[in-house]
């Protein structure tokens, strides 16, 4: 079993927020129960999949083998930031983990009801409905849920994020 402990809340450096300034995030209209369910599904997936470690990053990216192991230190990071200026005002939530990631060819399939990746399904239990439900709930609230390309992810302050498996992006608007 893996235990995750919340050590503190650290906003993304580029968001220019401190723990005392959350009032500077723009408001967003959401149905609290739906938003909670959508975000909880995404975070629980990140926690589950972060426990799987790629034996060899290059090997895994080409469909190689994975292992669940003690040498791997799983982590999940959740960050909040205002939506970029080219979008309507609102909030972007990024959920990052250091699991094996989601292959490009599966990035839309993971949102299909019942789909489970053949690469990771033997290591993680589930029914393959959480992300489909989360995306539908976000859509009903006028928001979105998608997957960012972790291979090319660079924060807006130009610092590359290393050892990121998947980055799920939830967006809500005023």
């Amino acid at each position: 079993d893996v235990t995750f402990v919340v050590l503190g809340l650290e906003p993304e450096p580029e968001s220019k927020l401190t723990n005392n300034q959350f009032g500077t995030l723009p408001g967003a209209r959401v149905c609290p129960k739906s938003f909670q369910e959508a975000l909880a599904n995404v975070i629980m997936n990140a926690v589950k999949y972060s426990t799987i470690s790629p034996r060899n990053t290059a090997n895994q990216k080409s469909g190689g083998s994975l292992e669940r192991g003690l040498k791997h230190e799983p982590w999940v990071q959740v960050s909040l930031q205002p939506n970029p200026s080219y979008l309507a005002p609102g909030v972007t939530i990024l959920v990052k983990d250091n699991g094996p990631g989601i292959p490009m060819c599966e990035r839309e399939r993971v949102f299909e009801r019942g789909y489970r990746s053949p690469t990771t399904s033997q290591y993680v239990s589930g029914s393959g409905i959480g992300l489909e439900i989360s995306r539908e709930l976000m859509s009903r609230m006028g928001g979105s849920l998608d997957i960012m390309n972790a291979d090319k992810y660079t924060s807006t302050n130009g610092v590359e994020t290393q050892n990121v498996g998947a980055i799920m992006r939830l967006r809500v608007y005023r």
Side-chain angles (χ1 to χ4, degrees):
D1 286 342
V2 176
T3 302
F4 284 86
V5 177
V6 177
L7 299 175
L9 181 60
E10 294 184 39
E12 285 287 289
E14 64 270 17
S15 68
K16 297 184 177 108
L17 301 173
T18 67
N19 289 338
N20 298 324
Q21 295 176 323
F22 283 114
T24 61
L25 280 173
R29 294 181 186 264
V30 297
C31 172
K33 286 184 179 184
S34 294
F35 184 70
Q36 179 182 1
E37 183 175 350
L39 184 58
N41 282 340
V42 171
I43 292 172
M44 288 308 299
N45 269 10
V47 168
K48 286 193 304 188
Y49 286 92
S50 70
T51 64
I52 302 172
S53 98
R55 283 188 192 157
N56 170 323
T57 303
N59 187 29
Q60 190 272 326
K61 297 287 183 200
S62 63
S65 58
L66 304 171
E67 66 183 4
R68 199 173 202 147
L70 299 174
K71 295 177 187 175
H72 177 68
E73 293 185 29
W75 58 261
V76 173
Q77 179 186 39
V78 179
S79 59
L80 307 165
Q81 55 197 358
N83 284 346
S85 59
Y86 59 85
L87 293 174
V91 178
T92 297
I93 300 101
L94 299 178
V95 179
K96 303 174 202 166
D97 68 61
N98 68 335
I102 302 168
M104 289 296 280
C105 62
E106 294 183 48
R107 296 222 170 135
E108 280 305 310
R109 295 214 57 209
V110 297
F111 294 107
E112 295 174 10
R113 183 171 289 268
Y115 180 76
R116 306 232 23 247
S117 174
T119 308
T120 56
S121 61
Q122 63 185 326
Y123 301 102
V124 176
S125 63
S127 57
I129 63 171
L131 290 179
E132 188 268 341
I133 290 170
S134 293
R135 184 179 253 186
E136 178 63 27
L137 291 170
M138 293 300 293
S139 177
R140 288 181 185 182
M141 292 182 286
S144 63
L145 169 59
D146 64 348
I147 301 169
M148 295 180 67
N149 188 347
D151 293 338
K152 296 181 181 177
Y153 178 75
T154 303
S155 64
T156 55
N157 66 1
V159 177
E160 274 191 48
T161 304
Q162 296 182 0
N163 301 321
V164 174
I167 305 173
M168 304 298 286
R169 178 174 51 197
L170 299 90
R171 284 200 168 130
V172 291
Y173 304 95
R174 278 192 183 166

